[in-house]
Amino acid sequence: MNSTTLDTSSLDRALSDLRRNAPSWTATPLAERIALLERLMPRILDSAAGMAAAGARAKGYGPDSPWAAEDWVGGPWALAQNTSALLHVLRRIAAGKGPVDAAAVHSRGGHTVVDVFPATGWDRLLLSGYSAEVRMREGSTPEQVLAGAAGEYRGRAGDPGVALVLGAGNVAAITALDILHKLYAEGQVVVAKMNPVNAYLRPHFEEVFAEFTERGWLRFVDGGAAEGAYLTTHEDVDSIHVTGSDRTHDAILWGTDAQAEQRRRADTPLVTKPFTSELGGVSPCIVVPGPWSDADFRFQAEHIVTSKMNNSGHNCIASQVLLLPRDWNGTDRLLDAIRVVLRRLPPRTDYYPGADKRLAAVRAAHPEADILGDDSRILVPDVTDHDDPLVTDEVFASALAVVRLPGTTPEEFLSQAVDYANDRLPGTLGATLVVHPRTEKAAGAAVRDAVAALRYGTLGVNCWSAVGFLLGYTPWGAHPGHTRQAIGSGIGFVHNAFMLDGIEKTVLRAPFAPAPRSLFTGSPSLSPRPPYFVTNRTGRTTLERLTRFTAAPRASGLPALFLSALRG
């Protein structure tokens, strides 16, 4: 590496500081670790508006734009919510309780399952009707799960170590949440390299984590691929976590020279340190036929468009392939409703580097596609070539493909959809399953089998799987089974507040319809239209108030929060 083009001195100093101070973090008692998080919460509040506004401006719209709701939910609220989840678990341990309530761990369908959400009374109130369970790997017993949770705080503290977090460039909270995971779940101090795409967030992160940097437990650095490569091979880095693409992972492990493929085949990586990753893929949204009303079509169209258009599709978990029943009379009605939503959304651009070229390639390959709203909102309503790039490659932009599968009954369609998602679509990070409660009741065994069979780290049932990224209690990562030679969507789980070991996947559930209509569809709840929906008229205000409530819960903040949510 050419030292004249890479200033390594500041990187060396950062790692030297961390190495020197790592033992003091290992020795920090639980009470002080809790206090550090309690003092971090007000700093999240102090930086929240600035963090959200910085993201909005970088994407090309103002902080008061309707689009800015995503900069609150994927930035300060996600950080506050994950911190709150960690505090909940650590306080349980400090009070002499187990990290997980024994009543939440049980056997179901041959697997050990942990009910992780709702975890508190506030959860039940604020996200009425939402729930999540973690399915453990085959062979895990409830006793093993309870004994293995939160080992860092139950007599099995690790050795001092330095972790490298290679930050993501798309969603504000990712880097911050990976820092928290490395510090609190794995017990390592952290050097966090900001991604050049959103390096503007560094001052906000430094404000939030000021106490950690002052004590030498965290260092932020800037730079691109050269700096990242230098850090991954540095002798003072003990472990690595990266959020990005499989190409990023493979470049680090196998290199980019002529010998890279030979190294992969021989399994002789350039980097042999413990390496976890959260990578992308082609995420499906599976819609089961059912007795939908006009209101159901409108609501689920908003749901599906949100899962595509949030952050202009620049999400590893953005819905890219919509799997629909070919013979259902609701398929074209749903697509028409999706077109209406896409046309009505306010303008915005696909800001992430390379998006313009990827979208141009989609338009060139599909001249028949619907171009809706502006030239970046692309709906390809009938993809029949299973080697189509929309099926085989992550587009990471606002293009949605529709694949129509056979099956005249929910059971037949689900069998086709599960096989297609598992066997044809690359990646296992997350999938979304939309099913009417009456359909689920009538075809219960088929739905249960589909939930069990889908090989994804997070499965959202009537809930965009990305919600699992936000809650903190819901482990986030690819379905187990990838190897460093075939990395897929990555290895390992983060955002794991209960610090569970041996995870297979998270299953999220949400109401099929918002209140009050939910009271009549078979999935009763008090939740209105979700504030993160791109169609929510008060989403930004609601999420700002939710962020402030999450960081400092008090009953006096509820009326204004609920009023904004209902208006949405």
Side-chain angles (χ1 to χ4, degrees), residues 25 52 72 74 96 152 154 165 179 212 224 236 252 258 273 280 297 299 366 399-400 419 485 497 507 522 558:
W25 173 248
W72 280 92
E152 176 75 10
R154 304 171 74 198
V165 167
I179 290 168
F212 292 85
D236 278 333
I252 294 169
K273 303 166 184 181
F297 283 105
F299 179 78
H366 292 282
L400 179 64
D419 288 346
Q485 290 166 291
V507 180
L558 290 174

Side-chain angles (χ1 to χ4, degrees), residues 61-84:
Y61 49 81
D64 294 329
S65 165
W67 291 114
E70 70 187 37
D71 301 297
W72 280 92
V73 72
W77 183 71
L79 182 50
Q81 173 63 23
N82 276 256
T83 302
S84 177

